[in-house]
Amino acid sequence: WKEAVDFQNTSSMLTVIPPYNTFSNEAKSLVERARSTVDAFRRQSPSWSVACYHPMSIEIDAEVLTWARFPWVISITVLVVFLAIGIRYRAALVPIKLLLTIAVPILFVLG
């Protein structure tokens, strides 16, 4: 009881232990459902303070953030590499030639 309720008896902590690995793909849906339930409770009871935390939720947020930034990272990397090659060889068409002779065949082979 002392671990689940604070000293003034104004807050409590619930522990949920699902029957599967909490870092599996099944846990993603659990985190989404828990967050939507917490949000619904906040709307119904604005005077209460509610929080939902698990390390898996941090990993899900990091995954979403990584996939959101991924196109920018790839684009900037390609731009920097093409600029560096173009400046090094003092030719604007060398990066395009490298793209067509090296990168495109690799993409076709590997998918």
Side-chain angles (χ1 to χ4, degrees):
W1 180 258
K2 290 180 182 180
E3 292 179 16
V5 178
D6 71 343
F7 180 70
Q8 289 121 0
N9 203 18
T10 58
S11 66
S12 62
M13 178 179 69
L14 299 175
T15 303
V16 177
I17 302 173
Y20 49 82
N21 183 1
T22 55
F23 288 95
S24 66
N25 285 332
E26 292 176 313
K28 288 182 180 182
S29 64
L30 175 65
V31 169
E32 291 171 6
R33 286 182 288 159
R35 285 181 173 171
S36 65
T37 303
V38 166
D39 290 340
F41 182 80
R42 281 185 183 157
R43 284 191 297 274
Q44 293 175 355
S45 306
S47 63
W48 288 60
S49 175
V50 180
C52 178
Y53 173 77
H54 189 272
M56 181 62 178
S57 62
I58 304 300
E59 288 193 19
I60 291 171
D61 294 342
E63 180 183 355
V64 169
L65 182 64
T66 301
W67 281 112
R69 290 181 178 175
F70 189 70
W72 285 102
V73 170
I74 295 297
S75 300
I76 291 171
T77 302
V78 168
L79 179 68
V80 168
V81 168
F82 277 16
L83 285 173
I85 291 171
I87 291 170
R88 168 65 178 96
Y89 294 107
R90 296 183 188 153
L93 295 179
V94 171
I96 296 170
K97 182 179 176 184
L98 286 173
L99 175 73
L100 294 176
T101 59
I102 296 173
V104 172
I106 290 172
L107 288 175
F108 277 117
V109 170
L110 299 178

